[in-house]
Amino acid sequence: EVVEAHGQVLLPGFVDLHTHLREPGREDTETIATGSAAAALGGYTAVFAMANTDPVADNAVVVEHVWRRGREVGLVDVHPVGAVTVGLRGEKLAELGTMAAAGVRVFSDDGHCVHDPLLMRRALEYSTALDAVVAQHAEEPRLTVGAQAHEGERAARLGLAGWPAVAEESIVARDCLLARQTGARLHVCHVSTAGTAEILRWAKGQGIEVSAEVTPHHLLLDDDRLAGYDPVNKVNPPLRTAADTKVLRDALAEGVVDCVATDHAPHAAQDKDCEWSAARPGMLGLQTALPVVVATMVEPGLLDWRGVARVLSERPAEIAGLPGHGRPIAVGEPATLTLVDPAARWTVRGAELASIAANTPYEGMELPGRVVTTLLRGRITAHEGMVRERE
Ligand code: DOR
Ligand code: ZN
Ligand code: ZN
């Protein structure tokens, strides 16, 4: 088979460090099969499936299920993330060693958050011994009680309880210091404020082993979106100010923020078509990540395509220690890569996305850049908007 690639950009396959696939537990919103299809169509060849499933991925049994289903579907490498604690908001550390033996290299408290500093310190110590990374959700829960939106002028005018920037910044600072003290590798999920970027700059300058991701939605959208009370815009951490988005774009261009991760978070229609306060936080991201990076980073001249390869593929692969992803193809090696048409523009329709859920904040928006072909170890997994099942 010949794949035409005139005028297209060749990139290493994308790696998403932060994907909610909802299996097991919420297969009405996404499964490993439908999420893998969305990933392949979005140009991804590896995704890290977050642990806040039901049951929680805090043990080897759930981890093995995710590995097995990912391999059976075969469209993208699905790597299970292990939960730091037993259960969400757990008081006890999970058996990180057992999960590491089952192949887990990223542990996370995403969707819950480890509040207890002693627990976080132990998690960092053990993960160092296991050569794993701890990805933290970056929320100090004592400062976000009842929070509904970014704490600021807009939320105040709309009567929505605030989620202050300091709820993120204080715990990122704490965990950077714990990472320094333990010598561990810390990864900060979905950085959303200018202040967090400042802390990361300081921590990296100190030689602390910290990496960080920003989501496409925190690069493009801001709290202007709150005006219509449409819960499609509700997400944790919340959409911040336009000034924050500008700082985040610059931090990503500079490498203070290492990479882009989607925080792809499918939700059922009834959990989004409701009152703001009752709605669940989160938005789809796998099929719109590349176009949003083109709109926010490439078009304004903040990143060239070399830089896109860095933030969508190389750095996430390095952070997770993934062999075979995020680098150019070696001679004689089956290709894991993504072809992008940089000139194409397309209009996003949630109903047309491969996910079961349709909660996209980009509904009706025209975005630049389209993934045309995705190859995983020499096999086409997606081509011109169609998934290719294994024969
Ligand atoms: O918006 C979010 N959605 N933030 C999280 O931390 C969890 C995620 C989810 O699981 O829906
Ligand atoms: Zn999170
Ligand atoms: Zn998440």
Side-chain angles (χ1 to χ4, degrees):
E1 183 175 4
V2 176
V3 175
E4 293 281 345
H6 296 292
Q8 294 181 9
V9 180
L10 176 64
L11 298 164
F14 305 157
V15 176
D16 192 11
L17 288 178
H18 194 150
T19 317
H20 296 274
L21 292 180
R22 305 299 191 218
E23 181 180 342
R26 284 309 299 264
E27 291 87 346
D28 58 319
T29 63
E30 194 78 294
T31 65
I32 289 171
T34 59
S36 292
L41 290 165
Y44 287 91
T45 51
V47 299
F48 283 76
M50 271 300 166
N52 65 336
T53 48
D54 183 12
V56 175
D58 58 10
N59 63 80
V61 174
V62 179
V63 159
E64 291 294 359
H65 170 80
V66 174
W67 277 127
R68 187 169 54 250
R69 275 306 292 150
R71 267 195 297 263
E72 281 166 8
V73 174
L75 289 171
V76 59
D77 289 350
V78 179
H79 293 262
V81 173
V84 172
T85 57
V86 177
L88 297 182
R89 282 164 280 276
E91 308 272 287
K92 214 175 110 210
L93 212 57
E95 279 189 20
L96 306 189
T98 313
M99 288 187 278
V104 172
R105 47 180 120 243
V106 179
F107 295 102
S108 180
D109 65 346
D110 190 70
H112 47 306
C113 41
V114 177
H115 181 226
D116 181 352
L118 180 62
L119 219 51
M120 183 48 102
R121 194 171 80 152
R122 291 216 171 111
L124 289 166
E125 278 167 2
Y126 294 163
S127 68
T128 309
L130 298 167
D131 196 26
V133 59
V134 176
Q136 66 120 300
H137 160 79
E139 173 189 353
E140 160 56 67
R142 300 298 302 153
L143 291 172
T144 59
V145 177
Q148 292 290 332
H150 170 63
E151 183 176 291
E153 222 178 284
R154 285 218 173 259
R157 236 183 293 138
L158 294 166
L160 296 171
W163 175 309
V166 74
E168 174 172 314
E169 293 152 4
S170 58
I171 205 149
V172 171
R174 180 198 80 173
D175 288 353
C176 283
L177 296 175
L178 289 175
R180 173 162 73 181
Q181 193 256 324
T182 53
R185 285 195 295 138
L186 173 71
H187 178 72
V188 180
C189 293
H190 41 54
V191 172
S192 72
T193 78
T196 302
E198 204 179 306
I199 291 161
L200 289 168
R201 185 189 304 280
W202 172 83
K204 288 183 170 195
Q206 298 289 304
I208 297 172
E209 288 227 45
V210 58
S211 58
E213 68 189 34
V214 61
T215 67
H217 47 272
H218 288 111
L219 290 172
L220 182 64
L221 309 175
D222 58 56
D223 67 350
D224 266 356
R225 282 276 184 140
L226 302 186
Y229 287 103
D230 183 347
V232 80
N233 298 304
K234 185 171 175 179
V235 65
N236 288 347
L239 299 179
R240 304 289 187 182
T241 68
D244 289 302
T245 64
K246 186 180 178 316
V247 171
L248 294 175
R249 292 177 192 190
D250 290 341
L252 181 64
E254 212 189 314
V256 168
V257 170
D258 298 77
C259 64
V260 171
T262 65
D263 200 4
H264 179 82
H267 287 298
Q270 70 268 20
D271 291 323
K272 281 298 199 180
D273 297 337
C274 57
E275 276 186 21
W276 182 281
S277 60
R280 293 194 190 220
M283 24 185 83
L284 299 183
L286 286 168
Q287 285 179 257
T288 46
L290 180 273
V292 173
V293 169
V294 175
T296 56
M297 301 297 295
V298 179
E299 287 193 334
L302 290 168
L303 276 188
D304 57 14
W305 287 98
R306 189 77 206 60
V308 173
R310 173 167 61 82
V311 303
L312 280 174
S313 184
E314 291 167 4
R315 282 300 293 143
E318 275 168 19
I319 290 164
L322 267 199
H325 286 265
R327 55 178 173 74
I329 317 146
V331 174
E333 185 184 71
T336 294
L337 53 82
T338 298
L339 283 164
V340 170
D341 181 349
R345 302 185 70 87
W346 60 290
T347 302
V348 181
R349 302 277 174 221
E352 290 170 9
L353 301 174
S355 291
I356 297 172
N359 53 302
T360 174
Y362 313 112
E363 184 69 42
M365 271 176 80
E366 197 193 71
L367 293 175
R370 175 146 221 181
V371 171
V372 182
T373 310
T374 311
L375 272 113
L376 177 62
R377 287 181 290 277
R379 190 172 70 81
I380 295 176
T381 53
H383 184 60
E384 290 183 349
M386 301 288 285
V387 161
R388 295 263 186 103
E389 308 288 346
R390 201 168 22 201
E391 278 156 25

